[in-house]
Amino acid sequence: MSKMDKYEKEKIKRLLKWSKEIKQGPFKIDIELHRRCNLNCLSCSRRADEKYEHINEFSKTIEMPLEKWLDIVKEASELGVKEWHIAGGGDPPFIPELLFPVMNLIKKYNMFGILTTNGTNLSSEHIKNLVEIGWDRIHFSVDGPNSEIHDYLRGVPGSFEKVISTIKLLKEFKGDKEKPVINMNTVLSIKNYDKLPDMVKLAKELGVEYMFVEPLIIYSEYGSKLKLKEEHRKEFSKYLKKAKALAKKYKIDSNFSSFDQNLNDELIENSSSMDVVVKEDMQKYENDGFLSTPCYDPFFHMAIKADGRVTSCDIATGAAENIRNKSLEEVWYGSYFESLRKDLFRKKIPQFCAQCNPSHTTQRRRLRNDMVEIMK
């Protein structure tokens, strides 16, 4: 059984009620405040957008106003939302006047907050504010142990130096405080797969408390050139073994040395065809009702995009709700989510699941494991 904190236990309880068709409010919300960014990451999902070359300017035309986001946060607290993740198709701190009022309100309502950032747009005042409000976790994207690799993958010279200085400054402001927990996120590619042990050493040097490494998902021609081939995957096992040993030595938690095992060969190989893995996992529980549901996201999670589009996850495509002129409650119990839940109860796998993040797959496995444990 994976170790469950109070948030995980609450999530499992809500899922088990859904299994009996007792409706529950959303547990977690991912939000994309905008799609603007100062980097040009080679593996970024923004590259799949036909407007990529002008996406920063386009983002300005579709973004919802701050007032709407604050209304969403307030209503979320009333609906029992426990957790927020601010990330999306840009770097959230790129527009601090939009980001920080939202973060401050999330913490005012005592909800758990996660921020994912490239770490190049946070000033000392921003970092000080994050510590003062007790923001829970910050995920810094670091794709290499040095500037040569990181700056190449991030598309902008100097980005490595900037993110490292930001993490150091946060560590300084944080002092002995528990929050924010400092995470380091890495996208695994042919440029860094053999540097994972060095990434662990860098994490140790910076005082990173958790490492999250995700196999690359192909969104563009650039991504297809970076994805690990069979020869890389065979060689990777020795680097992974060493990285696990170092993480254990340095007492750094990670998604590759814990219950999740996020970097096994199956997930790396199928990182752009995850519907195959979803189906195989379902078949293991084919006679166990709710445990064989393809995905659990629509029962506890929603993702709100910059233009107001709301889906069950950050991968979902096609029909969706829009929250611009609706309440959060109307969207959550509306036709889009209800239809998706009915399809999942019928064991129908949505087409977009092929692009599912490997980490979502390990999360589903963990959720099933925890539900089985609680139902004993």
Side-chain angles (χ1 to χ4, degrees):
M1 178 180 174
S2 60
K3 184 178 179 181
M4 286 189 285
D5 59 21
K6 64 178 182 179
Y7 293 103
E8 291 297 318
K9 288 178 182 177
E10 173 65 20
K11 186 193 302 181
I12 296 299
K13 287 178 181 178
R14 293 192 192 188
L15 284 174
L16 290 175
K17 287 184 178 179
W18 272 111
S19 73
K20 300 174 183 176
E21 300 190 37
I22 302 172
K23 294 183 178 182
Q24 300 291 297
F27 177 86
K28 180 182 179 182
I29 300 179
D30 280 24
I31 59 173
E32 172 193 76
L33 295 171
H34 61 82
R35 296 177 189 167
R36 294 186 245 177
C37 191
N38 58 316
L39 301 187
N40 298 300
C41 305
L42 299 183
S43 61
C44 185
S45 61
R46 300 199 317 159
R47 289 185 177 272
D49 194 317
E50 60 183 14
K51 297 175 287 295
Y52 175 72
E53 297 299 329
H54 311 286
I55 199 166
N56 279 8
E57 289 303 311
F58 174 73
S59 179
K60 296 176 184 178
T61 69
I62 54 101
E63 293 162 11
M64 293 195 295
L66 172 61
E67 292 73 20
K68 179 62 179 177
W69 285 112
L70 296 178
D71 286 344
I72 290 171
V73 173
K74 183 177 184 296
E75 189 185 359
S77 71
E78 296 167 354
L79 281 177
V81 170
K82 299 297 182 184
E83 187 175 314
W84 292 79
H85 185 189
I86 306 176
D91 187 49
F94 192 79
I95 311 178
E97 64 272 21
L98 183 59
L99 171 64
F100 286 95
V102 171
M103 295 179 78
N104 290 340
L105 193 59
I106 286 171
K107 291 314 299 177
K108 180 181 177 181
Y109 286 117
N110 200 32
M111 292 181 281
F112 190 93
I114 303 168
L115 170 68
T116 293
T117 173
N118 64 38
T120 67
N121 294 301
L122 288 167
S123 69
S124 59
E125 284 303 309
H126 296 152
I127 296 169
K128 186 178 179 182
N129 180 68
L130 290 171
V131 174
E132 288 176 347
I133 66 173
W135 190 255
D136 297 281
R137 301 181 79 96
I138 304 179
H139 297 183
F140 291 98
S141 299
V142 183
D143 280 343
N146 54 52
S147 58
E148 180 183 358
I149 296 173
H150 178 89
D151 290 0
Y152 172 79
L153 292 169
R154 292 279 153 178
V156 174
S159 57
F160 179 77
E161 182 180 348
K162 179 60 179 172
V163 66
I164 297 305
S165 65
T166 299
I167 295 172
K168 288 179 177 178
L169 192 58
L170 173 58
K171 186 69 176 174
E172 180 184 333
F173 276 123
K174 179 181 172 182
D176 295 330
K177 294 184 175 70
E178 290 185 4
K179 299 178 182 181
V181 172
I182 302 174
N183 282 34
M184 189 164 79
N185 289 4
T186 302
V187 177
L188 195 70
S189 71
I190 62 171
K191 294 292 183 178
N192 61 19
Y193 77 99
D194 57 345
K195 301 295 187 295
L196 190 57
D198 292 332
M199 296 296 293
V200 179
K201 292 176 184 177
L202 176 64
K204 167 64 174 176
E205 178 187 332
L206 295 172
V208 167
E209 296 156 89
Y210 189 93
M211 292 182 67
F212 179 91
V213 184
E214 184 86 295
L216 181 144
I217 297 173
I218 298 173
Y219 295 107
S220 68
E221 183 180 346
Y222 290 99
S224 65
K225 293 177 181 178
L226 290 169
K227 185 177 170 65
L228 269 63
K229 308 297 188 294
E230 185 178 356
E231 62 267 27
H232 302 125
R233 296 199 306 272
K234 287 179 179 178
E235 193 180 20
F236 177 62
S237 60
K238 66 181 180 183
Y239 299 114
L240 178 58
K241 183 178 180 180
K242 187 175 180 180
K244 286 181 177 181
L246 284 171
K248 183 178 181 180
K249 175 183 177 181
Y250 297 144
K251 297 180 180 180
I252 300 173
D253 200 3
S254 72
N255 72 327
F256 56 82
S257 60
S258 62
F259 173 87
D260 290 344
Q261 298 293 311
N262 204 54
L263 295 181
N264 64 38
D265 192 61
E266 169 207 26
L267 298 183
I268 295 174
E269 181 182 4
N270 292 295
S271 61
S272 291
S273 55
M274 292 302 293
D275 51 331
V276 175
V277 178
V278 171
K279 187 173 182 179
E280 289 174 353
D281 282 357
M282 285 174 59
Q283 291 171 344
K284 296 174 185 176
Y285 295 90
E286 61 182 347
N287 297 316
D288 290 322
F290 195 60
L291 293 175
S292 63
T293 301
C295 179
Y296 298 106
D297 274 22
F299 299 97
F300 73 88
H301 177 266
M302 62 200 309
I304 306 176
K305 302 299 184 180
D307 58 0
R309 186 172 174 270
V310 186
T311 61
S312 59
C313 69
D314 53 0
I315 303 299
T317 56
E321 291 273 13
N322 197 294
I323 202 169
R324 278 185 181 271
N325 299 308
K326 291 185 177 182
S327 69
L328 198 63
E329 186 173 19
E330 287 175 314
V331 170
W332 182 248
Y333 296 112
S335 58
Y336 167 78
F337 276 92
E338 287 296 289
S339 176
L340 190 50
R341 290 176 193 128
K342 286 178 181 177
D343 283 346
L344 291 170
F345 271 127
R346 298 186 190 110
K347 319 304 179 189
K348 182 179 178 181
I349 303 174
Q351 226 174 359
F352 54 74
C353 287
Q355 291 294 102
C356 186
N357 296 326
S359 59
H360 289 188
T361 295
T362 56
Q363 181 191 62
R364 279 192 302 276
R365 290 171 178 174
R366 188 171 67 249
L367 289 173
R368 287 189 180 106
N369 205 57
D370 291 342
M371 281 191 283
V372 167
E373 192 67 26
I374 285 182
M375 287 188 296
K376 285 180 179 178

